Amino acid sequence: MKGKLYLCATPIGNLEDITLRVLRVLKEADLIAAEDTRNSIKLLNHFDIKTPMTSYHEYNKIDKARDLIHKMQEGKNVALITDAGTPGISDPGEELVRMCYEAGIEVTSLPGACACVTALTLSGLSTRRFCFEAFLPPEKKERQAILQELERETRTIILYEAPHRLVRTLEELKQSFGSRRISVCRELTKKHETTVQTTVSEALQYYREHPPKGECVLVMEGKSRSAAAAEEREKWEEMTIQEHMEYYLSQGMEKKEAMKQTAKDRGVSKREIYSALL
């Protein structure tokens, strides 16, 4: 019988935020794969868990995944934990999950703490629709490309940031998004947890004068749908109706469907499009 991979959510700060199921699985597993064994040993010692541990992180995620899969194929059960929160969210666990499925290994997820969802519920912003970007990439061109994509995003936007990079990121957010509403969540679930509902401009001014401590989650409102729709119409209206139609026809769209889509883009009726083309 093959073993199984258990994705075990661990606390993001407060050690009480661990489920009874996770504690049981961590004790019963044959092996625990941890992002940083030096960090995770504190958690295991606190709960008197003696299960052997091995490291699984960004720099060994492929080779170590093969080794872990080999052990599971031999019948061993592996529990995967990250430094804090849910494995697979903004960490190399996603690679192990993918490779397990390819190898026919069963995977199950044990839910628990997750910083992005915790911050979202605390933010006071819309929670119905959101997008999660985790940490922006360090490379400048790649960061700018992602920020440009997000400029049109109408869902609530969630970002992670380290305290020493917070001011720089807020400067970039102000440049790209203006002074939108934002909630800055720090030290989630810990003794000095704070959530500040403010604007990008006000947050930038404050943290320039008061250097932040602790990991941060930024929850920023998306672009209003009406503003996004107006910008979209403005873009299409720069074209003539004939050019607009040709755009869709060149993609293989039928003429009737192209007229329908052109009318929708421009916020007018199909009759108006038909008359203009005549």
Side-chain angles (χ1 to χ4, degrees):
M1 296 235 354
K2 290 181 181 179
K4 192 171 179 178
L5 177 67
Y6 294 85
L7 307 176
C8 297
T10 54
I12 57 176
N14 193 316
L15 292 180
E16 293 179 359
D17 295 333
I18 192 166
T19 69
L20 296 174
R21 185 182 175 205
V22 167
L23 289 175
R24 176 180 60 78
V25 167
L26 291 178
K27 290 176 180 178
E28 295 177 356
D30 297 295
L31 182 66
I32 295 173
E35 188 175 9
D36 186 337
T37 55
R38 296 166 300 179
N39 182 66
S40 296
I41 193 64
K42 300 171 188 175
L43 176 73
L44 300 190
N45 286 342
H46 181 82
F47 291 106
D48 195 29
I49 296 170
K50 307 297 185 183
T51 307
M53 189 164 44
T54 188
S55 63
Y56 177 77
H57 49 72
E58 183 65 30
Y59 302 104
N60 72 354
K61 63 183 180 182
I62 302 299
D63 291 338
K64 195 54 171 281
R66 294 192 184 105
D67 179 55
L68 293 172
I69 287 170
H70 180 68
K71 285 179 167 55
M72 286 182 275
Q73 287 172 329
E74 292 180 336
K76 296 187 184 302
N77 290 317
V78 175
L80 179 68
I81 60 177
T82 182
D83 280 350
T86 301
I89 301 297
S90 189
D91 78 14
E94 62 179 338
E95 192 67 41
L96 178 57
V97 171
R98 181 186 64 79
M99 293 175 68
C100 278
Y101 281 126
E102 290 176 353
I105 300 293
E106 187 178 353
V107 180
T108 189
S109 182
L110 282 60
C114 184
C116 63
V117 174
T118 302
L120 178 65
T121 58
L122 283 172
S123 69
L125 298 173
S126 173
T127 61
R128 192 176 72 83
R129 299 170 65 250
F130 64 93
C131 71
F132 174 57
E133 274 295 333
F135 289 94
L136 291 171
E139 203 277 317
K140 186 175 180 180
K141 285 186 178 179
E142 198 175 347
R143 283 172 76 89
Q144 288 303 313
I146 289 176
L147 289 171
Q148 284 177 2
E149 285 181 23
L150 292 175
E151 284 178 20
R152 300 168 68 90
E153 180 59 68
T154 58
R155 295 171 295 178
T156 301
I157 299 165
I158 305 174
L159 301 169
Y160 287 164
E161 195 49 276
H164 63 280
R165 292 194 299 262
L166 179 62
V167 169
R168 172 196 170 189
T169 296
L170 288 171
E171 288 172 344
E172 292 173 327
L173 294 181
K174 183 180 178 183
Q175 184 176 358
S176 296
F177 304 98
S179 193
R180 288 195 196 173
R181 288 190 300 158
I182 192 170
S183 290
V184 181
C185 306
R186 294 176 45 257
E187 295 287 83
L188 288 171
T189 78
K190 299 177 185 176
K191 183 178 179 180
H192 300 293
E193 171 185 290
T194 60
T195 298
V196 180
Q197 296 172 311
T198 181
T199 65
V200 174
S201 297
E202 290 171 351
L204 176 58
Q205 182 178 346
Y206 178 82
Y207 288 113
R208 276 175 172 163
E209 299 171 4
H210 305 85
K213 296 179 181 178
E215 297 296 317
C216 304
V217 184
L218 308 177
V219 186
M220 184 175 66
E221 69 178 346
K223 189 170 196 170
S224 72
R225 289 192 179 186
S226 56
E231 277 193 10
E232 188 72 13
R233 282 198 300 273
E234 189 176 318
K235 181 189 79 172
W236 291 119
E237 285 168 0
E238 291 176 359
M239 295 182 179
T240 65
I241 290 178
Q242 287 78 7
E243 289 170 338
H244 197 155
M245 279 286 293
E246 187 56 39
Y247 171 79
Y248 287 120
L249 292 172
S250 66
Q251 296 180 31
M253 192 179 284
E254 294 291 332
K255 186 174 182 180
K256 185 177 179 181
E257 198 60 34
M259 288 175 63
K260 182 179 177 181
Q261 188 60 49
T262 298
K264 183 179 178 182
D265 291 343
R266 301 172 87 92
V268 299
S269 67
K270 285 191 293 183
R271 183 181 295 277
E272 287 185 56
I273 301 298
Y274 181 74
S275 299
L277 291 173
L278 286 177

